[in-house]
Amino acid sequence: MERRGAMDVCILGAGVVGLMTALELQDQFPNANYTIIAHLFNQNTTSDGAAGLFHPSSTFTGPTLDITENWIADSYSYYDNLRNSSDGEKSGVFQCSGFQLSSSMPSLIWSNYMKKVAPVYRYATEEELKVYPGNWKYGSYCVTLGIECRRLLPWSLLRFQESGGKVISKKIESFGELADDYDVVMNCSGLSAAQLCQDRQMVPIRGQVIKVHAPWVTQFLYADHDTYIIPSGRGRVTLGGTRNFDDHDTSVSKWDSEKIREKCSRLIPKLAVAPELETWVGLRPHRHPVRVEVETLSIPRKRGGSLKVVHNYGHGGYGVTTAPGTAKHAVNLFRQLHSGCSESQPSKL
């Protein structure tokens, strides 16, 4: 329901970052009018293809180390609270455990980020290193969370709409299209931000994975050379993967598929015959650092004043992992915008 006299806010993008930002806005400022505008939803988004394991790499970078750690801690807390709520199963959040293995470098199996949030995070024992085929010299064991985006995305979108949010299916080519209808734009457009913001730091990282039905796989595995086996909920297991920097090709590579099967089957031979559900290719929106900041755009507006944009994009392969945390940060920036205009427009929110 539209509220007269309230601030009109647009959330641009309906991937996991956009949806988490929209829900955080509704929670913190329930009296504003919110509209999500996107041209891709649910299974058509990049987020849907994600394995959804909460396990950020040390390469994930925000503007500062403290801010990055806060994003990760806030995200873990959000998902864990959701898991323990009445909506835990509906939203697709579950607890899982597993190993990270390396035959070459100890730094590849350790994450200080995870050490600070995971309920269990330790080095693997000598016996554990021998469980899986390979010459594993280093390893870590972790209890963490899995997030099944095939459930999380529609659950989040429905919750947004049930709280009065409006949804429009449309591809936006410029912020000028939004200037007359909205007071603030939350830009969660992912890879589209490269063109929308003329952001040369935005780069696609091509990823290809295979989704198989293997309910007997109960633990995740990370190994050398981007090899991973991740339970993704309801018997679906993600086998991966590839990480091709600045590669825009979204077609399925037969060679990549064969290589993924080969790598994963070396770790768990039974995976060689696991029924394939789908092969997914997506372009992860990578930026170094992730951009969460305010920008004021000088665009002519019928409403007068300037259009305020809060950017929240560039998460790369860690959008699912960090979306709730960057959403909280983005909404705190939105709060500062509201405080700045509250003297002249005290009734807006």
Side-chain angles (χ1 to χ4, degrees):
M1 180 181 295
E2 188 169 339
R3 301 168 177 87
R4 291 185 179 180
M7 182 176 284
D8 294 307
V9 182
C10 169
I11 301 93
L12 196 55
V16 66
V17 176
L19 292 176
M20 291 297 104
T21 301
L23 293 181
E24 183 72 17
L25 283 166
Q26 286 181 322
D27 184 59
Q28 296 296 323
F29 297 96
N31 295 323
N33 297 316
Y34 297 109
T35 303
I36 289 176
I37 300 180
H39 69 291
L40 298 174
F41 293 87
N42 295 333
Q43 287 185 227
N44 293 319
T45 65
T46 302
S47 300
D48 181 77
L53 183 71
F54 194 104
H55 202 287
S57 164
S58 58
T59 61
F60 177 80
T61 307
T64 69
L65 178 59
D66 285 345
I67 288 174
T68 306
E69 290 180 341
N70 286 339
W71 288 350
I72 292 168
D74 287 341
S75 293
Y76 194 94
S77 177
Y78 176 89
Y79 284 131
D80 204 33
N81 289 337
L82 184 55
R83 177 179 70 90
N84 290 308
S85 74
S86 59
D87 279 338
E89 185 174 354
K90 295 178 186 176
S91 61
V93 182
F94 56 95
Q95 191 172 70
C96 61
S97 63
F99 294 91
Q100 192 161 11
L101 307 170
S102 177
S103 60
S104 58
M105 296 175 62
S107 60
L108 296 178
I109 56 86
W110 195 256
S111 167
N112 287 326
Y113 291 149
M114 287 304 298
K115 178 63 177 175
K116 293 185 177 182
V117 297
V120 179
Y121 193 69
R122 60 171 173 78
Y123 289 106
T125 65
E126 290 295 327
E127 291 75 17
E128 288 170 333
L129 291 177
K130 297 175 183 177
V131 170
Y132 297 99
N135 183 29
W136 307 117
K137 297 179 182 179
Y138 312 102
S140 59
Y141 172 80
C142 178
V143 175
T144 184
L145 301 171
I147 302 100
E148 184 187 355
C149 278
R150 190 143 295 185
R151 282 193 281 179
L152 179 70
L153 297 179
W155 174 84
S156 301
L157 190 61
L158 179 61
R159 185 178 164 198
F160 172 76
Q161 292 174 299
E162 289 178 341
S163 298
K166 184 179 177 182
V167 176
I168 296 175
S169 179
K170 181 181 180 182
K171 184 172 178 61
I172 299 298
E173 303 289 349
S174 71
F175 289 115
E177 298 176 52
L178 307 171
D180 290 333
D181 296 320
Y182 301 99
D183 300 296
V184 179
V185 174
M186 309 297 287
N187 177 27
C188 308
S189 58
L191 194 59
S192 295
Q195 288 75 42
L196 194 63
C197 304
Q198 296 299 299
D199 190 342
R200 296 183 179 180
Q201 291 177 267
M202 276 295 296
V203 179
I205 297 181
R206 180 187 178 276
Q208 180 168 320
V209 299
I210 303 172
K211 307 280 186 175
V212 300
H213 183 68
W216 36 269
V217 175
T218 58
Q219 290 190 315
F220 72 83
L221 284 173
Y222 273 104
D224 294 334
H225 312 300
D226 274 324
T227 303
Y228 50 86
I229 301 165
I230 301 175
S232 301
R234 295 182 291 183
R236 293 169 63 90
V237 176
T238 301
L239 309 182
T242 64
R243 195 193 307 252
N244 306 124
F245 189 82
D246 203 14
D247 186 342
H248 295 255
D249 185 6
T250 58
S251 63
V252 172
S253 165
K254 180 181 178 181
W255 185 90
D256 284 341
S257 292
E258 291 174 353
K259 190 66 176 177
I260 289 168
R261 280 278 190 175
E262 178 190 348
K263 293 190 302 182
C264 294
S265 298
R266 280 198 218 118
L267 285 170
I268 303 179
K270 193 176 175 181
L271 285 172
V273 295
E276 182 175 323
L277 301 173
E278 64 176 311
T279 298
W280 177 89
V281 177
L283 304 180
R284 304 163 180 134
H286 173 77
R287 189 181 191 275
H288 184 86
V290 178
R291 188 183 189 190
V292 185
E293 63 185 19
V294 176
E295 184 178 10
T296 300
L297 300 181
S298 300
I299 298 175
R301 304 174 73 232
K302 293 178 182 178
R303 297 182 173 214
S306 301
L307 179 67
K308 305 292 185 181
V309 178
V310 180
H311 298 291
N312 185 10
Y313 66 83
H315 300 62
Y318 302 100
V320 178
T321 293
T322 60
T326 64
K328 185 174 180 178
H329 187 167
V331 173
N332 283 338
L333 296 178
F334 176 86
R335 183 188 303 278
Q336 294 171 22
L337 288 179
H338 169 237
S339 299
C341 70
S342 58
E343 294 181 5
S344 59
Q345 296 178 313
S347 63
K348 274 285 184 180
L349 287 175

